[in-house]
Amino acid sequence: MTIEVDYRFPLGVDVHKQAKMIAVGQTVGTWDGRFSHREESLRAHLAQVVNVVEDDTGSTATIHFPESNVEGDIASLLTMIFGKYSMAGQGKIIDLRLPQHYGKEPTVGMSGIRERLGVPHRPLIMAIFKPALGLSPEDHALIFSQVAHAGLDIIKDDEILPNLDIAPTKKRLEACLEVIHEVKAKTGRTVLYAVNVTGSAEDLIKNARKLVWKGANALLLNVLTYGFSVLDTLASDPEINVPIFAHPAFAGALCAAPHTGLAYSVVLGTLMAHGGADAVLYPAHYGSLPFDPQEEAKICQILRQRNVFPVPSAGIHPGILPQVIQDYGPDVILNAGTGIMDHPEGPAAGVRAFFEAWERLQGGGAFDLASLPEGALKRAVEKWGSA
Amino acid sequence: MTIEVDYRFPLGVDVHKQAKMIAVGQTVGTWDGRFSHREESLRAHLAQVVNVVEDDTGSTATIHFPESNVEGDIASLLTMIFGKYSMAGQGKIIDLRLPQHYGKEPTVGMSGIRERLGVPHRPLIMAIFKPALGLSPEDHALIFSQVAHAGLDIIKDDEILPNLDIAPTKKRLEACLEVIHEVKAKTGRTVLYAVNVTGSAEDLIKNARKLVWKGANALLLNVLTYGFSVLDTLASDPEINVPIFAHPAFAGALCAAPHTGLAYSVVLGTLMAHGGADAVLYPAHYGSLPFDPQEEAKICQILRQRNVFPVPSAGIHPGILPQVIQDYGPDVILNAGTGIMDHPEGPAAGVRAFFEAWERLQGGGAFDLASLPEGALKRAVEKWGSA
């Protein structure tokens, strides 16, 4: 089985020369007569340039790498397909096709998350604790209580909240577990809290195990700042039997440039889907982040093919639901930060507005202000508009 | 104490707007009246825009972040200073100033490596196993024996060589340890072998401990593909009392773009120096990689200030030594791949050529072909030229 990579070059780059540099330089590197007795073995490690296409705006080289050069994980894969070569000038990885068996499958995944929540069909609604920093564990529990009782499916820490003295991870979990138990006892519903795991690799892994043991029912990981190798360990561990939400923080550093780095769909799609994530957040094009709808659709498709939940974030508010469902269908987790927390009538109304919007959409109702009945949805549309 | 970051924007970007977006968006995120009782706590987490400079080619905003927002490591730092914002469009981190105590100091460092080798003053000579893939452990030992007996200081695995069946990491170490012991017994000299540690985070860490326990006297880590959090654990572990060589593989994905990502000097300089590396490889501007000499000089300076050994790589061959010493001075590890392994008379001659070059430079001799006496250096200069 081979690993297939498309490298894109702008006009003016000698694509044939670059492709050869990659195929040799990123595999055997060099060889000479001293190793003629090993020629067969060396050849088995060489990558092959299988296609070169030149067009009006540049060129694309497709290269096949032997799977036997790497360890079946994301870290050794990235080192091979882009390690040293990434420093060679202009050249961007725009597509990556891995064998189906490469890497990890999600442990819980889209189907497992729906099963745990007992919500088989509708889009799931997810909130983020805000403000990101400065809240006590009691503040977290207070906010959580409001949105959880209003029907929320999932809440997550803000990705920039690490294990701080003012709100230690363990204390946040303890405070929020009370709410989870309360909602369960009262309504039978499960609410997930994706708690942010941080620290040096070994501490992070140990803490993740402890948190799950204490009752955490979801984890949040900044995969790109902590490392795919950390996701690998968490996803491989049978003790960590809860969904791992992968956050895209830092993805722009790798993906935002036109002619270097990797496409967003490679990093937030393929690498996450084969890296062990159960759900992956990415910026939706509705928000202020300049995100390409096509790239986003590709991420969504890649993730779902592997039973990984797409979690479009940014610019998500109740009035945009018709557009969101048209763009993604209902197999999606809608992640709203301010779209829930900054609702004019408070976070609980923010959650209710989403469910009102879902009901209305199901019933074929219009979303313009004049047609909307009084209520949380109308207040939301007054503030953020509708689509 | 504060963390100081310079963000650079191209012309046409509203620097004041972006700076404010970073200062609020990357810290508290949002707040409203509900948390007025916590206003003081929230304010303590806010970043401050302390300077904005506009010039002919763009603008630079300097922002101060409270150290108390992060965990004193690189991963939570990156999430805060660039996490979500990295996806906001054009904007590049061109400088990062951390408090002296932030992060880790190297365990062994420049002084410790010199001490272990018993080489107090001259530049150290380092080779890389080539071909990168396809050699057996016995091949590794054979090559190593040739260069080690010729006087080499350090050898390293190629960064793309993981733990493969054809040459398992443990077997490579065992084979190379014999050479290390032989050279020690015969000459009293220590030769370091930086063995590449790979795998999922937990396996990598366990293997690193086992390898050191078995006698490994140096480690190689692809910090950017495995994660700074992994370096953090390795550097914190008192059992891992050997120098960690940080490889720059994948750095181009983060650093090569003009208007996004981070400067090479931030990633390969500041982050590595505060991340726990003992020696850091980076592309020298002598090679084929398009590297800016000023950025390189900055990396070198940042590393040395923290007792971290700079390891310029790419385009290093014996004839370039006068230029290299003029550019860096002697406190440097010269890392030559083909510059040793592809010497016309073989790898041992490649090593001898470097020492002949160093002797000749000390004696003030010229490096042009006509003046050079017969020998390994002359052969090298015939092949690669001199500077």
Side-chain angles (χ1 to χ4, degrees):
Chain A
M1 299 293 288
T2 59
I3 292 159
E4 206 170 296
V5 190
D6 292 342
Y7 298 84
R8 178 76 187 166
F9 304 98
L11 287 176
V13 172
D14 180 343
V15 58
H16 296 279
K17 188 180 158 195
Q18 296 301 311
K20 210 176 153 185
M21 239 174 94
I22 297 169
V24 178
Q26 293 299 121
T27 59
V28 296
T30 174
W31 80 64
D32 66 19
R34 287 177 294 135
F35 295 99
S36 53
H37 64 294
R38 293 211 165 269
E39 195 171 331
E40 206 181 321
S41 159
L42 293 177
R43 275 199 196 287
H45 292 286
L46 256 185
Q48 304 292 336
V49 183
V50 296
N51 199 25
V52 167
V53 178
E54 297 178 78
D55 58 42
D56 290 351
T57 60
S59 53
T60 304
T62 300
I63 299 183
H64 276 191
F65 292 85
E67 207 186 323
S68 56
N69 287 5
V70 287
E71 292 183 12
D73 63 343
I74 304 302
S76 67
L77 175 76
L78 284 177
T79 310
M80 176 177 71
I81 65 174
F82 212 41
K84 191 154 56 188
Y85 187 76
S86 71
M87 297 180 277
Q90 296 199 317
K92 179 167 182 168
I93 292 183
I94 56 164
D95 204 1
L96 165 65
R97 293 171 293 279
L98 296 173
Q100 182 63 26
H101 65 262
Y102 194 93
K104 303 246 170 303
E105 303 265 353
T107 315
V108 183
M110 213 155 45
S111 51
I113 291 173
R114 284 199 173 286
E115 207 177 288
R116 291 184 187 196
L117 293 178
V119 181
H121 303 304
R122 67 165 168 80
L124 302 178
I125 308 299
M126 178 164 173
I128 312 169
F129 285 111
K130 299 278 174 187
L133 298 174
L135 299 181
S136 69
E138 295 69 34
D139 291 332
H140 281 85
L142 178 69
I143 297 172
F144 189 31
S145 176
Q146 292 168 0
V147 289
H149 285 287
L152 187 78
D153 298 302
I154 309 166
I155 198 162
K156 74 167 199 57
D157 283 329
D158 194 283
E159 78 280 0
I160 62 165
L161 177 62
N163 192 6
L164 297 187
D165 285 346
I166 178 185
T169 312
K170 191 170 150 268
K171 298 276 177 208
R172 296 198 310 268
L173 176 66
E174 283 167 5
C176 290
L177 272 179
E178 286 186 33
V179 178
I180 290 174
H181 296 150
E182 222 177 80
V183 173
K184 188 77 181 175
K186 220 164 165 176
T187 68
R189 284 199 319 115
T190 297
V191 190
L192 299 181
Y193 164 36
V195 55
N196 192 22
V197 283
T198 60
S200 80
E202 193 166 54
D203 290 346
L204 186 157
I205 294 161
K206 278 187 195 164
N207 286 341
R209 282 192 189 120
K210 264 191 225 162
L211 293 166
V212 171
W213 185 81
K214 278 187 175 296
N217 57 12
L219 300 176
L220 176 72
L221 178 67
N222 292 308
V223 176
L224 304 174
T225 50
Y226 287 84
F228 276 102
S229 75
V230 174
L231 174 61
D232 196 347
T233 295
L234 297 183
S236 312
D237 188 341
E239 285 180 46
I240 298 176
N241 57 354
V242 304
I244 301 168
F245 285 74
H247 196 278
F250 203 60
L254 307 172
C255 307
H259 304 307
T260 58
L262 310 91
Y264 277 112
S265 59
V266 171
V267 172
L268 300 180
T270 316
L271 297 180
M272 294 292 185
H274 289 259
D278 294 285
V280 179
L281 285 76
Y282 59 85
H285 65 276
Y286 315 117
S288 57
L289 302 177
F291 222 68
D292 173 16
Q294 277 189 306
E295 195 69 13
E296 206 192 318
K298 211 171 155 189
I299 294 174
C300 196
Q301 186 198 358
I302 292 168
L303 295 177
R304 280 183 187 149
Q305 274 173 359
R306 252 179 122 73
N307 191 28
V308 179
F309 236 136
V311 190
S313 310
I316 305 284
H317 58 81
I320 213 171
L321 200 79
Q323 183 65 50
V324 167
I325 298 305
Q326 188 181 313
D327 289 347
Y328 303 113
D331 248 350
V332 85
I333 299 176
L334 300 176
N335 180 30
T338 50
I340 286 177
M341 292 299 161
D342 290 358
H343 188 283
E345 292 171 356
V351 174
R352 284 199 308 274
F354 270 100
F355 285 101
E356 285 179 23
W358 175 244
E359 290 299 315
R360 193 165 178 82
L361 184 65
Q362 298 289 91
F367 274 66
D368 61 290
L369 271 180
S371 333
L372 284 172
E374 287 305 313
L377 175 57
K378 187 168 187 172
R379 290 289 90 73
V381 172
E382 279 167 4
K383 181 163 185 174
W384 294 302
S386 64
Chain B
M1 300 290 289
T2 59
I3 291 159
E4 206 170 296
V5 190
D6 292 343
Y7 298 83
R8 178 77 186 164
F9 303 98
L11 288 176
V13 172
D14 180 344
V15 57
H16 295 279
K17 188 181 159 196
Q18 295 301 312
K20 210 176 155 187
M21 238 174 95
I22 297 169
V24 178
Q26 292 299 123
T27 59
V28 296
T30 174
W31 83 63
D32 68 18
R34 286 177 295 136
F35 296 100
S36 54
H37 63 294
R38 294 213 165 267
E39 194 171 332
E40 205 182 323
S41 159
L42 292 178
R43 275 200 194 286
H45 292 286
L46 256 187
Q48 303 294 336
V49 183
V50 296
N51 199 24
V52 167
V53 178
E54 297 178 79
D55 57 43
D56 290 350
T57 60
S59 53
T60 303
T62 300
I63 299 183
H64 276 192
F65 292 86
E67 206 186 325
S68 57
N69 288 6
V70 287
E71 291 184 10
D73 64 344
I74 304 302
S76 67
L77 176 76
L78 285 177
T79 310
M80 176 178 70
I81 65 174
F82 212 41
K84 191 155 52 188
Y85 186 77
S86 71
M87 296 180 278
Q90 296 199 317
K92 180 168 181 168
I93 293 185
I94 56 164
D95 204 2
L96 165 64
R97 292 170 294 279
L98 296 172
Q100 181 64 25
H101 65 260
Y102 195 92
K104 302 247 171 300
E105 302 266 353
T107 315
V108 182
M110 210 153 50
S111 51
I113 291 173
R114 284 200 172 287
E115 207 176 289
R116 290 182 187 198
L117 293 179
V119 180
H121 303 305
R122 66 164 169 80
L124 302 179
I125 309 299
M126 178 163 174
I128 312 169
F129 285 110
K130 298 280 174 188
L133 298 174
L135 300 179
S136 69
E138 295 70 35
D139 291 333
H140 281 85
L142 178 70
I143 297 172
F144 189 30
S145 175
Q146 292 169 0
V147 289
H149 286 288
L152 187 79
D153 298 303
I154 309 166
I155 198 162
K156 76 169 198 56
D157 282 329
D158 195 282
E159 79 279 0
I160 62 164
L161 178 62
N163 192 8
L164 297 188
D165 285 346
I166 178 184
T169 312
K170 190 170 151 266
K171 298 278 177 203
R172 297 199 311 267
L173 175 66
E174 283 168 4
C176 290
L177 272 179
E178 286 186 31
V179 178
I180 290 173
H181 296 148
E182 221 178 80
V183 173
K184 189 77 180 177
K186 218 163 164 177
T187 67
R189 282 199 319 116
T190 296
V191 191
L192 299 181
Y193 165 34
V195 56
N196 193 22
V197 283
T198 59
S200 80
E202 192 166 55
D203 290 345
L204 187 157
I205 294 161
K206 278 187 193 163
N207 285 340
R209 282 190 189 121
K210 265 192 222 162
L211 292 167
V212 171
W213 185 81
K214 279 187 175 296
N217 57 15
L219 299 176
L220 177 72
L221 179 66
N222 292 310
V223 176
L224 304 173
T225 50
Y226 287 84
F228 276 102
S229 75
V230 174
L231 174 61
D232 196 346
T233 294
L234 297 183
S236 312
D237 188 339
E239 284 180 45
I240 298 177
N241 56 355
V242 302
I244 301 168
F245 285 75
H247 196 278
F250 205 60
L254 308 171
C255 307
H259 303 307
T260 57
L262 310 90
Y264 276 113
S265 59
V266 171
V267 173
L268 301 179
T270 315
L271 297 180
M272 293 292 185
H274 288 259
D278 294 284
V280 179
L281 284 76
Y282 59 86
H285 64 277
Y286 315 118
S288 56
L289 303 177
F291 222 70
D292 173 16
Q294 275 187 310
E295 196 69 13
E296 207 191 315
K298 212 172 155 189
I299 294 175
C300 196
Q301 187 199 357
I302 292 168
L303 295 177
R304 281 185 185 144
Q305 275 172 359
R306 250 178 123 74
N307 191 29
V308 180
F309 235 136
V311 191
S313 309
I316 304 285
H317 57 79
I320 214 171
L321 201 80
Q323 184 64 51
V324 168
I325 299 305
Q326 188 181 312
D327 289 347
Y328 303 111
D331 249 349
V332 84
I333 298 176
L334 300 177
N335 181 29
T338 50
I340 286 177
M341 291 299 162
D342 289 359
H343 188 282
E345 293 171 354
V351 175
R352 285 199 307 274
F354 270 101
F355 284 103
E356 283 178 25
W358 175 244
E359 290 298 315
R360 193 163 178 86
L361 185 66
Q362 297 290 93
F367 273 65
D368 61 291
L369 271 181
S371 333
L372 285 172
E374 286 306 312
L377 176 57
K378 188 166 187 174
R379 289 291 88 76
V381 172
E382 278 167 6
K383 181 163 186 175
W384 293 303
S386 64

